[in-house]
Amino acid sequence: LSFEDHINSVVKACYVQLRNLQAIGSKLNYDLKKQLIHCLIFSKLDYCNGLFFGLPDKLIKKLQKVQNSCVRFLFQKEGFNKWDSVSPLLERAHFLPIRQRIVFKIALTVFKCLNNIAPSYLRQCIRVKDQPLKTLRTDLDYFLLQKPPVSNLVRTERGFSFCGPNIWNNLP
């Protein structure tokens, strides 16, 4: 599964909504624009975005372009040029870039699994690492997750039982 058709349909739907917002954008203030972007566009970008983990950059960049267009729309009154960098605007609006949103969503799902908030079929994919009888100082982290054995299949690394523990164990 490449998700290319799905991502193309999401991008198309987001641009339609953004085009509709741009028609009335001059009459909206910053807070209302931000609310409408969250409701109409980011809800589409974030829906099932945990499945996009490990996708090629080509597909993620399509989603990132939508987010960049939304940020430009949000700050259009401030006179930013089309070629200016969007990174400072993303920070000012407190928006995570798409790849980081995906990682955040997976980490949040792992957190819910560890706290018994997630459904049981997801909790079964996550196992806390067993503590050895003789512990070292490096073994004192009680929330490290057990990584499943490495598979020869490439696509299994994108599965929740593989990427969830990797993302959780790499958190600072």
Side-chain angles (χ1 to χ4, degrees), residues 30-31 34-35 37-38 42 46 64 67-68 70-72 74-75 86-98 100-101 104:
Y30 173 82
D31 293 327
K34 192 171 179 180
Q35 256 183 338
I37 286 172
H38 273 288
F42 284 0
D46 288 339
Q64 187 62 51
Q67 189 182 37
N68 293 349
C70 290
V71 170
R72 288 185 202 287
L74 188 61
F75 291 104
V86 179
S87 299
L89 300 178
L90 282 170
E91 287 181 22
R92 265 183 56 195
H94 300 287
F95 294 158
L96 284 174
I98 295 294
Q100 291 176 3
R101 288 172 89 93
F104 175 77

Side-chain angles (χ1 to χ4, degrees), residues 58-106:
K58 175 183 120 177
L59 297 176
I60 299 296
K61 282 181 183 177
K62 290 181 180 183
L63 298 171
Q64 187 62 51
K65 284 181 183 180
V66 171
Q67 189 182 37
N68 293 349
S69 298
C70 290
V71 170
R72 288 185 202 287
F73 166 72
L74 188 61
F75 291 104
Q76 74 186 18
K77 288 184 180 176
E78 297 184 20
F80 284 98
N81 192 352
K82 180 180 179 180
W83 306 110
D84 290 343
S85 175
V86 179
S87 299
L89 300 178
L90 282 170
E91 287 181 22
R92 265 183 56 195
H94 300 287
F95 294 158
L96 284 174
I98 295 294
R99 198 167 288 282
Q100 291 176 3
R101 288 172 89 93
I102 293 169
V103 169
F104 175 77
K105 180 95 165 243
I106 294 171

Side-chain angles (χ1 to χ4, degrees), residues 84-131:
D84 290 343
S85 175
V86 179
S87 299
L89 300 178
L90 282 170
E91 287 181 22
R92 265 183 56 195
H94 300 287
F95 294 158
L96 284 174
I98 295 294
R99 198 167 288 282
Q100 291 176 3
R101 288 172 89 93
I102 293 169
V103 169
F104 175 77
K105 180 95 165 243
I106 294 171
L108 181 65
T109 307
V110 171
F111 175 80
K112 288 179 178 182
C113 288
L114 291 175
N115 290 301
N116 292 327
I117 303 170
S120 61
Y121 67 90
L122 284 176
R123 287 192 306 241
Q124 292 170 356
C125 296
I126 301 293
R127 293 188 53 201
V128 178
K129 193 174 182 183
D130 295 329
Q131 295 298 318

Side-chain angles (χ1 to χ4, degrees), residues 39-57:
C39 292
L40 299 174
I41 298 169
F42 284 0
S43 61
K44 288 177 177 52
L45 291 177
D46 288 339
Y47 181 71
C48 294
N49 70 351
L51 297 175
F52 299 155
F53 182 80
L55 287 182
D57 285 339

Side-chain angles (χ1 to χ4, degrees), residues 9-10 21 25 32 34 87 132 136 165:
S9 67
V10 167
L21 285 176
L32 191 54
K34 192 171 179 180
S87 299
L136 302 172

Side-chain angles (χ1 to χ4, degrees), residues 128-146:
V128 178
K129 193 174 182 183
D130 295 329
Q131 295 298 318
L133 296 175
K134 295 182 179 180
T135 60
L136 302 172
R137 277 185 284 165
T138 57
D139 293 332
L140 292 179
D141 194 352
Y142 297 108
F143 292 109
L144 283 179
L145 300 179
Q146 189 173 13

